[in-house]
Amino acid sequence: MSDQSLKKFWKGARDGFPIFLGYVPVSFAFGMMATEGGLPFWTAVLISMTNFTSAGQVAGTSLILSGAAYLEIGITTFVINIRYMLMSLSLSQKLEEKMSTLARCVLSFGNTDEIFAVAMQQEGRVGTSYLAGLIATPYLGWTLGTVLGAGASGLLPLSLRTALGILIYGMFIAIMIPPARKVRSILMTVCIAAALSCVIRWVPWLSWISGGWSIILCAVAASAVVALRYPVADEEAMS
Amino acid sequence: MTDLSYVLVGIGVMALVTYLPRMLPLAIFRKRINNRFIRSFLSYVPYAVLAAMTFPDVLYSTASLYSALVGLAVAVFLAYRGKSLLTVAVGAAAAVFLVERLLEFL
C-alpha cells in the first residue's frame, strides 16, 4: 500500500469511528438476544461476522431460534435486505470508476446503512482505500459488541436492556436530521417515507405487508416523488 | 438446544441473501448513470430508507410507548443541534432509561 492510499485508509477508519461507537451497543444487544435464545456464543459471533447487518440478522436469528424452515429464513432476510440493492446501486455511482471488480465484490460486503450514509456524504468520488478504512472500524465494533453482548447475556439488568433498544434508531435520526434541516427536498423525502411507513403499519388492511417490503415501497415511492418534484442539478447529485 | 448443523446452514443462508443484494449492483453498474431522474432518485434513497426504517419502529423499540416518545424527542432535538451519532444515540437511550424509572413510580 502506498503512503497515499494508507493515508486515505486511515481517514476512512477515522470517519468510521462514530459508527464503531454506535455499533458496539447495538451488536451488544444482538449478542445478548442470540445467546439468551440458546445459541452457542461462537455462533452469535459468527452471525455478526458473516452478516454484518442489523435488522436482517436479528430477524434471521429469531427465525433460527424458532426452528423455521431455511426457505422462510432466506426469504425474510432477503426481503429486509433488498434495500441494499437500492443502496449499492446508489453507491455504484459514487465510487471511482477505475475501482476493480475484486475490490467492488469485497467492499460491497461492508455496505451497511451507516457506512453507506457516510460514504455518500463525502465530497467527490470514493476510492478503495478510503472505503476499506470506513468499513474496517465499524466491522470491528460490530464484532466486538457481539462478543461482549453474547458473553454478558443475563448480566445486564432488564431496565438497561430496554433502554438500549432505541440506540440504533437514535443513530439513524442523527444521520437524517442534519441534512433534512438544511435541504428542503431531503426533508420532504424523510417526511413522506416516514408517513407512508406509519400508514402501512397502522392501517389494518395494509398490515400484511412485511417490514422488508414496506421499507422498499416507502423508499421507492418517496424518492421517486421527490425526484420528480426536485430533480438535482447534474453535478450536485453524486459528486 | 437447537441442532448445530441446522444453525450453521441457517447462518449460511442469511449471509448469502445479505451479501448478494449488496454485491450485485456494485459489481454490475460501473458506468455513470446519466438519466437525471434516476440520479435524483438515487440521491434521495438513503434518506427515504432510513426514515422508513425508523418510523414507526422507534416507537416500539423500548418497554413503553411513553419512554420511546421521549427518547425520540430527545434524539430529534440533539440531532437538530448537530450533535454526533454517538451523542444522539446515547442521549436518547439515557432519556428512555430515566423515563422508565419514573414510570415505575406512577
Side-chain angles (χ1 to χ4, degrees):
Chain A
M1 220 185 232
S2 71
D3 269 7
Q4 238 221 319
S5 44
L6 199 62
K7 227 173 165 176
K8 284 185 185 156
F9 177 86
W10 284 116
K11 170 151 187 346
R14 259 201 315 278
D15 287 354
F17 190 64
I19 311 180
F20 168 99
L21 293 175
Y23 276 2
V24 170
V26 176
S27 56
F28 184 95
F30 166 77
M32 226 163 47
M33 164 224 156
T35 48
E36 267 175 18
L39 287 186
F41 170 83
W42 66 273
T43 57
V45 179
L46 182 68
I47 294 175
S48 282
M49 295 187 72
T50 55
N51 281 254
F52 194 32
T53 179
S54 55
Q57 92 179 44
V58 170
T61 305
S62 334
L63 285 172
I64 289 180
L65 288 172
S66 67
Y70 295 136
L71 188 67
E72 190 183 354
I73 297 171
I75 291 178
T76 307
T77 317
F78 179 68
V79 168
I80 295 175
N81 289 331
I82 290 180
R83 68 175 189 282
Y84 288 131
M85 296 186 89
L86 282 176
M87 292 196 244
S88 275
L89 188 59
S90 195
L91 186 64
S92 74
Q93 299 297 299
K94 180 78 182 169
L95 298 180
E96 285 172 358
E97 277 182 50
K98 60 169 200 230
M99 190 187 287
S100 71
T101 305
L102 179 68
R104 286 166 189 258
C105 287
V106 173
L107 294 177
S108 59
F109 171 77
N111 188 17
T112 70
D113 303 297
E114 295 76 14
I115 290 169
F116 168 70
V118 173
M120 296 300 288
Q121 278 167 10
Q122 298 309 304
E123 267 182 41
R125 297 292 178 125
V126 169
T128 309
S129 308
Y130 176 80
L131 193 56
L134 183 63
I135 291 169
T137 23
Y139 186 67
L140 269 179
W142 191 247
T143 308
L144 177 70
T146 311
V147 167
L148 296 176
S153 131
L155 294 181
L156 280 192
L158 183 68
S159 58
L160 210 53
R161 274 183 273 158
T162 62
L164 293 179
I166 203 168
L167 279 174
I168 194 163
Y169 299 106
M171 203 161 62
F172 290 161
I173 288 166
I175 295 175
M176 276 186 289
I177 300 274
R181 189 187 156 189
K182 282 190 215 116
V183 185
R184 195 183 154 78
S185 55
I186 295 178
L187 178 66
M188 281 188 56
T189 311
V190 166
C191 290
I192 294 174
L196 273 179
S197 175
C198 290
V199 167
I200 290 177
R201 177 71 66 86
W202 288 330
V203 173
W205 48 270
L206 288 175
S207 56
W208 55 271
I209 301 174
S210 71
W213 286 114
S214 170
I215 290 170
I216 295 153
L217 264 173
C218 298
V220 168
S223 308
V225 167
V226 178
L228 283 175
R229 178 84 177 68
Y230 298 94
V232 285
D234 205 34
E235 272 315 303
E236 143 200 5
M238 296 294 162
S239 57
Chain B
M1 188 45 238
T2 345
D3 172 39
L4 190 61
S5 62
Y6 164 75
V7 171
L8 290 180
V9 176
I11 294 174
V13 170
M14 283 164 62
L16 189 71
V17 298
T18 307
Y19 179 62
L20 288 181
R22 284 174 169 169
M23 185 272 281
L24 291 175
L26 266 181
I28 294 170
F29 289 92
R30 309 181 59 101
K31 288 261 153 26
R32 193 182 132 98
I33 295 172
N34 283 319
N35 181 292
R36 194 176 180 204
F37 172 75
I38 296 180
R39 291 174 63 80
S40 309
F41 174 83
L42 292 176
S43 76
Y44 293 128
V45 160
Y47 303 104
V49 168
L50 288 179
M53 289 206 298
T54 304
F55 300 97
D57 295 49
V58 58
L59 300 177
Y60 306 111
S61 65
T62 66
S64 94
L65 179 61
Y66 301 108
S67 62
L69 281 172
V70 175
L72 172 62
V74 168
V76 170
F77 174 76
L78 291 174
Y80 192 82
R81 301 283 304 272
K83 302 293 180 198
S84 73
L85 294 190
L86 184 70
T87 312
V88 174
V90 172
V96 168
F97 181 80
L98 290 177
V99 171
E100 288 181 355
R101 296 295 72 70
L102 273 176
L103 286 174
E104 284 172 359
F105 292 104
L106 298 178

Short mmCIF file of all heavy atoms in Angstrom, two decimals, chain A residues 64-108:
data_model
loop_
_atom_site.label_atom_id
_atom_site.label_comp_id
_atom_site.label_asym_id
_atom_site.label_seq_id
_atom_site.Cartn_x
_atom_site.Cartn_y
_atom_site.Cartn_z
N ILE A 64 -34.19 -18.65 13.23
CA ILE A 64 -33.39 -19.84 13.54
C ILE A 64 -33.76 -20.34 14.94
O ILE A 64 -33.94 -21.54 15.16
CB ILE A 64 -31.88 -19.52 13.47
CG1 ILE A 64 -31.46 -19.31 12.02
CG2 ILE A 64 -31.04 -20.64 14.10
CD1 ILE A 64 -29.99 -18.99 11.83
N LEU A 65 -33.90 -19.41 15.88
CA LEU A 65 -34.23 -19.80 17.25
C LEU A 65 -35.60 -20.47 17.33
O LEU A 65 -35.83 -21.33 18.18
CB LEU A 65 -34.20 -18.57 18.18
CG LEU A 65 -32.80 -18.04 18.47
CD1 LEU A 65 -32.87 -16.73 19.24
CD2 LEU A 65 -31.99 -19.06 19.25
N SER A 66 -36.52 -20.07 16.42
CA SER A 66 -37.84 -20.68 16.45
C SER A 66 -37.90 -21.93 15.57
O SER A 66 -38.95 -22.52 15.40
CB SER A 66 -38.91 -19.67 16.02
OG SER A 66 -38.74 -19.36 14.66
N GLY A 67 -36.76 -22.31 14.98
CA GLY A 67 -36.71 -23.53 14.19
C GLY A 67 -37.40 -23.43 12.84
O GLY A 67 -37.89 -24.42 12.29
N ALA A 68 -37.40 -22.24 12.23
CA ALA A 68 -38.09 -22.04 10.94
C ALA A 68 -37.38 -22.77 9.81
O ALA A 68 -36.20 -23.14 9.92
CB ALA A 68 -38.14 -20.54 10.63
N ALA A 69 -38.11 -22.97 8.69
CA ALA A 69 -37.52 -23.61 7.51
C ALA A 69 -36.49 -22.68 6.88
O ALA A 69 -36.60 -21.47 6.98
CB ALA A 69 -38.63 -23.93 6.51
N TYR A 70 -35.48 -23.28 6.18
CA TYR A 70 -34.45 -22.47 5.53
C TYR A 70 -35.06 -21.46 4.56
O TYR A 70 -34.62 -20.33 4.47
CB TYR A 70 -33.48 -23.37 4.76
CG TYR A 70 -32.67 -24.29 5.64
CD1 TYR A 70 -32.49 -25.63 5.30
CD2 TYR A 70 -32.07 -23.82 6.80
CE1 TYR A 70 -31.74 -26.47 6.11
CE2 TYR A 70 -31.33 -24.65 7.62
CZ TYR A 70 -31.16 -25.98 7.27
OH TYR A 70 -30.43 -26.81 8.07
N LEU A 71 -36.10 -21.91 3.84
CA LEU A 71 -36.72 -21.03 2.85
C LEU A 71 -37.28 -19.77 3.51
O LEU A 71 -37.11 -18.66 3.01
CB LEU A 71 -37.84 -21.78 2.11
CG LEU A 71 -38.42 -21.02 0.91
CD1 LEU A 71 -37.39 -20.89 -0.20
CD2 LEU A 71 -39.68 -21.71 0.40
N GLU A 72 -37.94 -19.96 4.66
CA GLU A 72 -38.51 -18.80 5.35
C GLU A 72 -37.41 -17.87 5.86
O GLU A 72 -37.51 -16.65 5.76
CB GLU A 72 -39.39 -19.27 6.51
CG GLU A 72 -40.19 -18.12 7.11
CD GLU A 72 -41.01 -18.54 8.31
OE1 GLU A 72 -41.04 -19.75 8.62
OE2 GLU A 72 -41.61 -17.65 8.93
N ILE A 73 -36.35 -18.48 6.39
CA ILE A 73 -35.21 -17.67 6.85
C ILE A 73 -34.64 -16.87 5.68
O ILE A 73 -34.42 -15.66 5.77
CB ILE A 73 -34.10 -18.57 7.45
CG1 ILE A 73 -34.62 -19.31 8.68
CG2 ILE A 73 -32.86 -17.74 7.80
CD1 ILE A 73 -33.67 -20.38 9.19
N GLY A 74 -34.46 -17.57 4.56
CA GLY A 74 -33.87 -16.92 3.39
C GLY A 74 -34.74 -15.80 2.85
O GLY A 74 -34.26 -14.69 2.61
N ILE A 75 -36.04 -16.05 2.68
CA ILE A 75 -36.91 -15.04 2.08
C ILE A 75 -37.06 -13.83 3.00
O ILE A 75 -36.95 -12.70 2.56
CB ILE A 75 -38.30 -15.65 1.74
CG1 ILE A 75 -38.13 -16.64 0.59
CG2 ILE A 75 -39.29 -14.56 1.35
CD1 ILE A 75 -39.40 -17.34 0.18
N THR A 76 -37.30 -14.09 4.29
CA THR A 76 -37.47 -12.96 5.22
C THR A 76 -36.22 -12.08 5.24
O THR A 76 -36.29 -10.85 5.12
CB THR A 76 -37.75 -13.47 6.64
OG1 THR A 76 -38.84 -14.38 6.59
CG2 THR A 76 -38.08 -12.32 7.57
N THR A 77 -35.05 -12.72 5.41
CA THR A 77 -33.81 -11.94 5.47
C THR A 77 -33.59 -11.21 4.15
O THR A 77 -33.21 -10.04 4.13
CB THR A 77 -32.62 -12.87 5.75
OG1 THR A 77 -32.98 -13.79 6.77
CG2 THR A 77 -31.42 -12.09 6.22
N PHE A 78 -33.88 -11.89 3.04
CA PHE A 78 -33.68 -11.26 1.74
C PHE A 78 -34.56 -10.03 1.59
O PHE A 78 -34.11 -8.97 1.14
CB PHE A 78 -33.97 -12.26 0.61
CG PHE A 78 -33.81 -11.67 -0.75
CD1 PHE A 78 -32.53 -11.31 -1.21
CD2 PHE A 78 -34.89 -11.44 -1.57
CE1 PHE A 78 -32.37 -10.75 -2.46
CE2 PHE A 78 -34.73 -10.87 -2.83
CZ PHE A 78 -33.47 -10.53 -3.27
N VAL A 79 -35.84 -10.16 1.96
CA VAL A 79 -36.76 -9.03 1.81
C VAL A 79 -36.28 -7.83 2.63
O VAL A 79 -36.28 -6.70 2.15
CB VAL A 79 -38.19 -9.45 2.19
CG1 VAL A 79 -39.09 -8.24 2.32
CG2 VAL A 79 -38.74 -10.40 1.14
N ILE A 80 -35.84 -8.11 3.87
CA ILE A 80 -35.33 -6.99 4.68
C ILE A 80 -34.10 -6.38 4.03
O ILE A 80 -33.84 -5.19 4.13
CB ILE A 80 -35.00 -7.48 6.11
CG1 ILE A 80 -36.28 -7.92 6.81
CG2 ILE A 80 -34.31 -6.39 6.92
CD1 ILE A 80 -36.07 -8.52 8.17
N ASN A 81 -33.34 -7.21 3.30
CA ASN A 81 -32.07 -6.74 2.74
C ASN A 81 -32.18 -6.18 1.32
O ASN A 81 -31.20 -5.70 0.78
CB ASN A 81 -31.05 -7.87 2.73
CG ASN A 81 -30.59 -8.18 4.13
OD1 ASN A 81 -30.58 -7.31 5.00
ND2 ASN A 81 -30.23 -9.43 4.38
N ILE A 82 -33.39 -6.26 0.71
CA ILE A 82 -33.49 -5.75 -0.66
C ILE A 82 -33.10 -4.27 -0.73
O ILE A 82 -32.60 -3.80 -1.73
CB ILE A 82 -34.92 -5.96 -1.23
CG1 ILE A 82 -35.14 -7.45 -1.46
CG2 ILE A 82 -35.10 -5.24 -2.54
CD1 ILE A 82 -36.51 -7.77 -2.02
N ARG A 83 -33.31 -3.55 0.37
CA ARG A 83 -32.94 -2.14 0.36
C ARG A 83 -31.46 -1.95 0.00
O ARG A 83 -31.08 -0.94 -0.56
CB ARG A 83 -33.23 -1.49 1.71
CG ARG A 83 -32.34 -1.97 2.84
CD ARG A 83 -32.60 -1.18 4.12
NE ARG A 83 -31.63 -1.47 5.16
CZ ARG A 83 -31.64 -2.56 5.92
NH1 ARG A 83 -32.57 -3.48 5.73
NH2 ARG A 83 -30.73 -2.75 6.84
N TYR A 84 -30.63 -2.97 0.31
CA TYR A 84 -29.21 -2.85 -0.02
C TYR A 84 -28.99 -2.78 -1.52
O TYR A 84 -27.99 -2.24 -1.98
CB TYR A 84 -28.41 -4.03 0.56
CG TYR A 84 -28.27 -3.95 2.05
CD1 TYR A 84 -28.56 -5.03 2.86
CD2 TYR A 84 -27.83 -2.78 2.66
CE1 TYR A 84 -28.43 -4.97 4.23
CE2 TYR A 84 -27.69 -2.70 4.03
CZ TYR A 84 -27.99 -3.80 4.82
OH TYR A 84 -27.86 -3.73 6.17
N MET A 85 -29.93 -3.34 -2.31
CA MET A 85 -29.77 -3.25 -3.77
C MET A 85 -29.88 -1.79 -4.19
O MET A 85 -29.11 -1.31 -5.02
CB MET A 85 -30.82 -4.10 -4.49
CG MET A 85 -30.68 -5.56 -4.19
SD MET A 85 -31.78 -6.59 -5.16
CE MET A 85 -30.77 -6.87 -6.60
N LEU A 86 -30.87 -1.09 -3.58
CA LEU A 86 -31.01 0.34 -3.87
C LEU A 86 -29.76 1.09 -3.45
O LEU A 86 -29.24 1.94 -4.17
CB LEU A 86 -32.20 0.91 -3.11
CG LEU A 86 -33.59 0.65 -3.65
CD1 LEU A 86 -34.62 1.21 -2.70
CD2 LEU A 86 -33.72 1.30 -5.02
N MET A 87 -29.27 0.76 -2.24
CA MET A 87 -28.12 1.50 -1.72
C MET A 87 -26.87 1.20 -2.51
O MET A 87 -26.09 2.09 -2.82
CB MET A 87 -27.91 1.15 -0.25
CG MET A 87 -29.02 1.67 0.62
SD MET A 87 -28.52 1.64 2.33
CE MET A 87 -29.67 0.51 2.95
N SER A 88 -26.68 -0.08 -2.87
CA SER A 88 -25.49 -0.43 -3.65
C SER A 88 -25.55 0.22 -5.03
O SER A 88 -24.53 0.65 -5.56
CB SER A 88 -25.35 -1.95 -3.79
OG SER A 88 -24.69 -2.48 -2.66
N LEU A 89 -26.75 0.28 -5.59
CA LEU A 89 -26.91 0.94 -6.89
C LEU A 89 -26.54 2.41 -6.76
O LEU A 89 -25.84 2.98 -7.59
CB LEU A 89 -28.37 0.79 -7.34
CG LEU A 89 -28.68 1.26 -8.75
CD1 LEU A 89 -27.84 0.50 -9.75
CD2 LEU A 89 -30.16 1.06 -9.05
N SER A 90 -27.01 3.01 -5.67
CA SER A 90 -26.71 4.41 -5.40
C SER A 90 -25.20 4.59 -5.18
O SER A 90 -24.58 5.50 -5.72
CB SER A 90 -27.50 4.80 -4.15
OG SER A 90 -27.58 6.14 -3.95
N LEU A 91 -24.62 3.68 -4.40
CA LEU A 91 -23.17 3.76 -4.11
C LEU A 91 -22.34 3.53 -5.36
O LEU A 91 -21.25 4.10 -5.51
CB LEU A 91 -22.80 2.74 -3.03
CG LEU A 91 -21.37 2.78 -2.50
CD1 LEU A 91 -21.08 4.09 -1.79
CD2 LEU A 91 -21.10 1.62 -1.54
N SER A 92 -22.85 2.70 -6.30
CA SER A 92 -22.09 2.40 -7.51
C SER A 92 -21.79 3.68 -8.29
O SER A 92 -20.82 3.77 -9.02
CB SER A 92 -22.83 1.40 -8.39
OG SER A 92 -23.93 2.03 -9.03
N GLN A 93 -22.64 4.69 -8.13
CA GLN A 93 -22.47 5.94 -8.84
C GLN A 93 -21.49 6.87 -8.13
O GLN A 93 -21.15 7.94 -8.63
CB GLN A 93 -23.82 6.65 -8.98
CG GLN A 93 -24.82 5.84 -9.77
CD GLN A 93 -24.36 5.63 -11.20
OE1 GLN A 93 -24.18 6.58 -11.93
NE2 GLN A 93 -24.13 4.37 -11.57
N LYS A 94 -21.10 6.47 -6.94
CA LYS A 94 -20.26 7.33 -6.11
C LYS A 94 -18.81 6.84 -6.11
O LYS A 94 -17.91 7.56 -5.72
CB LYS A 94 -20.85 7.29 -4.68
CG LYS A 94 -20.16 8.11 -3.66
CD LYS A 94 -20.53 9.56 -3.80
CE LYS A 94 -19.77 10.40 -2.77
NZ LYS A 94 -19.90 11.83 -3.03
N LEU A 95 -18.61 5.59 -6.54
CA LEU A 95 -17.27 5.01 -6.49
C LEU A 95 -16.42 5.48 -7.67
O LEU A 95 -16.93 5.80 -8.73
CB LEU A 95 -17.37 3.48 -6.53
CG LEU A 95 -18.09 2.81 -5.37
CD1 LEU A 95 -18.09 1.30 -5.57
CD2 LEU A 95 -17.43 3.18 -4.05
N GLU A 96 -15.10 5.49 -7.45
CA GLU A 96 -14.19 5.78 -8.57
C GLU A 96 -14.41 4.72 -9.64
O GLU A 96 -14.46 3.54 -9.34
CB GLU A 96 -12.74 5.74 -8.07
CG GLU A 96 -12.38 6.96 -7.27
CD GLU A 96 -11.00 6.85 -6.61
OE1 GLU A 96 -10.37 5.78 -6.77
OE2 GLU A 96 -10.59 7.81 -5.96
N GLU A 97 -14.52 5.17 -10.90
CA GLU A 97 -14.85 4.22 -11.95
C GLU A 97 -13.77 3.17 -12.13
O GLU A 97 -14.03 2.05 -12.57
CB GLU A 97 -15.11 4.96 -13.28
CG GLU A 97 -16.55 5.49 -13.34
CD GLU A 97 -16.86 6.19 -14.65
OE1 GLU A 97 -16.58 5.60 -15.70
OE2 GLU A 97 -17.36 7.33 -14.61
N LYS A 98 -12.53 3.52 -11.77
CA LYS A 98 -11.43 2.58 -12.00
C LYS A 98 -11.37 1.48 -10.93
O LYS A 98 -10.54 0.58 -11.04
CB LYS A 98 -10.10 3.34 -12.05
CG LYS A 98 -9.81 4.08 -10.74
CD LYS A 98 -8.37 4.59 -10.70
CE LYS A 98 -7.99 4.85 -9.25
NZ LYS A 98 -7.40 6.12 -8.96
N MET A 99 -12.20 1.55 -9.91
CA MET A 99 -12.13 0.54 -8.86
C MET A 99 -12.36 -0.86 -9.45
O MET A 99 -13.28 -1.08 -10.22
CB MET A 99 -13.18 0.82 -7.77
CG MET A 99 -12.98 -0.07 -6.53
SD MET A 99 -14.31 0.09 -5.32
CE MET A 99 -13.96 1.71 -4.62
N SER A 100 -11.47 -1.81 -9.06
CA SER A 100 -11.50 -3.14 -9.69
C SER A 100 -12.74 -3.92 -9.26
O SER A 100 -13.35 -3.64 -8.23
CB SER A 100 -10.25 -3.92 -9.29
OG SER A 100 -10.35 -4.28 -7.93
N THR A 101 -13.08 -4.92 -10.07
CA THR A 101 -14.24 -5.76 -9.75
C THR A 101 -14.02 -6.50 -8.44
O THR A 101 -14.93 -6.63 -7.63
CB THR A 101 -14.50 -6.76 -10.89
OG1 THR A 101 -14.63 -6.04 -12.10
CG2 THR A 101 -15.77 -7.56 -10.64
N LEU A 102 -12.78 -6.97 -8.21
CA LEU A 102 -12.49 -7.67 -6.97
C LEU A 102 -12.75 -6.76 -5.76
O LEU A 102 -13.42 -7.14 -4.80
CB LEU A 102 -11.03 -8.16 -6.96
CG LEU A 102 -10.63 -8.89 -5.67
CD1 LEU A 102 -11.38 -10.22 -5.57
CD2 LEU A 102 -9.13 -9.13 -5.60
N ALA A 103 -12.24 -5.53 -5.85
CA ALA A 103 -12.44 -4.59 -4.75
C ALA A 103 -13.93 -4.33 -4.53
O ALA A 103 -14.41 -4.27 -3.40
CB ALA A 103 -11.72 -3.27 -5.04
N ARG A 104 -14.67 -4.20 -5.63
CA ARG A 104 -16.11 -3.98 -5.50
C ARG A 104 -16.79 -5.15 -4.81
O ARG A 104 -17.66 -4.96 -3.96
CB ARG A 104 -16.74 -3.78 -6.89
CG ARG A 104 -16.44 -2.42 -7.47
CD ARG A 104 -16.75 -2.35 -8.95
NE ARG A 104 -16.25 -1.10 -9.49
CZ ARG A 104 -17.03 -0.05 -9.75
NH1 ARG A 104 -18.32 -0.13 -9.57
NH2 ARG A 104 -16.51 1.07 -10.18
N CYS A 105 -16.39 -6.37 -5.21
CA CYS A 105 -17.01 -7.56 -4.62
C CYS A 105 -16.71 -7.67 -3.12
O CYS A 105 -17.56 -8.04 -2.33
CB CYS A 105 -16.54 -8.83 -5.32
SG CYS A 105 -17.26 -8.99 -6.96
N VAL A 106 -15.48 -7.33 -2.74
CA VAL A 106 -15.10 -7.43 -1.33
C VAL A 106 -15.76 -6.31 -0.52
O VAL A 106 -16.38 -6.54 0.51
CB VAL A 106 -13.56 -7.37 -1.16
CG1 VAL A 106 -13.18 -7.30 0.30
CG2 VAL A 106 -12.93 -8.58 -1.83
N LEU A 107 -15.64 -5.07 -1.01
CA LEU A 107 -16.11 -3.93 -0.23
C LEU A 107 -17.64 -3.87 -0.14
O LEU A 107 -18.17 -3.34 0.83
CB LEU A 107 -15.56 -2.63 -0.82
CG LEU A 107 -14.04 -2.49 -0.70
CD1 LEU A 107 -13.57 -1.21 -1.37
CD2 LEU A 107 -13.60 -2.50 0.76
N SER A 108 -18.33 -4.44 -1.12
CA SER A 108 -19.79 -4.40 -1.08
C SER A 108 -20.32 -5.12 0.16
O SER A 108 -21.39 -4.81 0.66
CB SER A 108 -20.40 -5.02 -2.34
OG SER A 108 -19.98 -6.35 -2.47
#
